[in-house]
Amino acid sequence: MDLSEQIRQLAHRKHAVIMGHYYQRDEVQEVADFIGDSLALARQAAKTDADIIVMCGVHFMAETAKILCPDKKVLIPDATAGCSLADSCTADQLRRWKQSHPDHLVVSYVNTSAAVKALTDIVVTSGNALHIVQQLPTDRPILFGPDRNLGRYIIEQTGREMTLWDGCCHVHARFSADTLHRLRERYPNAPVLAHPECKQDILDQADVKGSTAALLHYVKAHPEQKQMIIVTENGVIHEMQKACPDVEFIWEENVCEYMRQNTLEKLYACLRDETPEVTVDPNISAQAITCIQRMLDLS
Ligand code: 13P
Ligand code: SF4
């Protein structure tokens, strides 16, 4: 029996659900019960009846699942799978920022630690940020963090002023505007699909901007396109290619080292030994749940 089959059997026996983000390795995506973007993973965690959630993603995603399901065991194949963007704003830094802007609403991207969420008024993902920010009271100024690129994109799309934290995702910041320019010249009929964590010089060249799920949705809705240029972590192309096998996807090589720390071997060991487990301090969890629940209610 191959490793994927052993994982499936173990998950079934333990009544565990395996969730995976689109940026996971192809073989991890294939073995998961459910794959999705950050928003879909949070929604799925909120409604699962499994006893164990194995989050094949990065640490903040497992924390979010634990906050939503405090009575369930939440596992992650590699506990050191972090996120440079989440690390760019600590709870102490956010506390000081809030103190210097006492009248502001705090809107945080889901790519943040549980401790940062505990200091947040409302969480957003790239899949619902525009929709949620448009619903916020107009008489309150907004602090948005930690991703300055997503923040700038929200301001441009909604016209809502926000003060931005100066953080970014090192993976999306690595995409080169010159490389994209050359790809566009070489494939003039291919639309460019980019994630809003990309820098402005990339987004300026994009035809479609959105979360991983939104980009996948566009791909599925346009099977007539012969070629498409994808500017986000390369893992999402696996699902795109499965959905549209006849489309030629073009991309610059770029993967998130944190996401790729989860392997089938670590997933098997994690299910077998029920470790590493992700826990959240109950006091932090009790505060953080409010801003996550607000997001789920408004999205
Ligand atoms: P989405 O899946 O919400 O688009 O997020 C991208 C990301 O960087 C997750 O870490
Ligand atoms: Fe974090 Fe960027 Fe990796 Fe997403 S792709 S987990 S934002 S470092």
Side-chain angles (χ1 to χ4, degrees), residues 71-133:
D71 301 332
K72 295 192 192 301
K73 186 174 269 190
V74 176
L75 305 173
I76 185 167
D78 187 325
T80 65
C83 169
S84 59
L85 178 54
D87 290 345
S88 72
C89 182
T90 66
D92 281 344
Q93 287 172 310
L94 178 56
R95 201 173 286 109
R96 285 196 292 275
W97 201 34
K98 278 178 71 162
Q99 278 162 1
S100 56
H101 300 80
D103 54 339
H104 285 53
L105 270 177
V106 177
V107 180
S108 292
Y109 193 28
V110 69
N111 296 40
T112 43
S113 67
V116 163
K117 290 188 176 77
L119 299 168
T120 292
D121 293 306
I122 187 159
V123 166
V124 299
T125 73
S126 48
N128 61 22
L130 302 180
H131 182 64
I132 289 185
V133 167

Side-chain angles (χ1 to χ4, degrees), residues 23 58 83-85 111 169-172 197 256 258-259:
Y23 295 165
V58 291
C83 169
S84 59
L85 178 54
N111 296 40
C169 156
H170 77 287
V171 180
H172 287 86
E197 285 176 21
C256 172
Y258 296 116
M259 287 279 184

Side-chain angles (χ1 to χ4, degrees), residues 21 23 37-38 60-61 109 111 126 195 197 211-212 259:
H21 189 270
Y23 295 165
D37 67 351
S38 312
F60 75 80
M61 296 177 176
Y109 193 28
N111 296 40
S126 48
H195 196 282
E197 285 176 21
S211 69
T212 48
M259 287 279 184

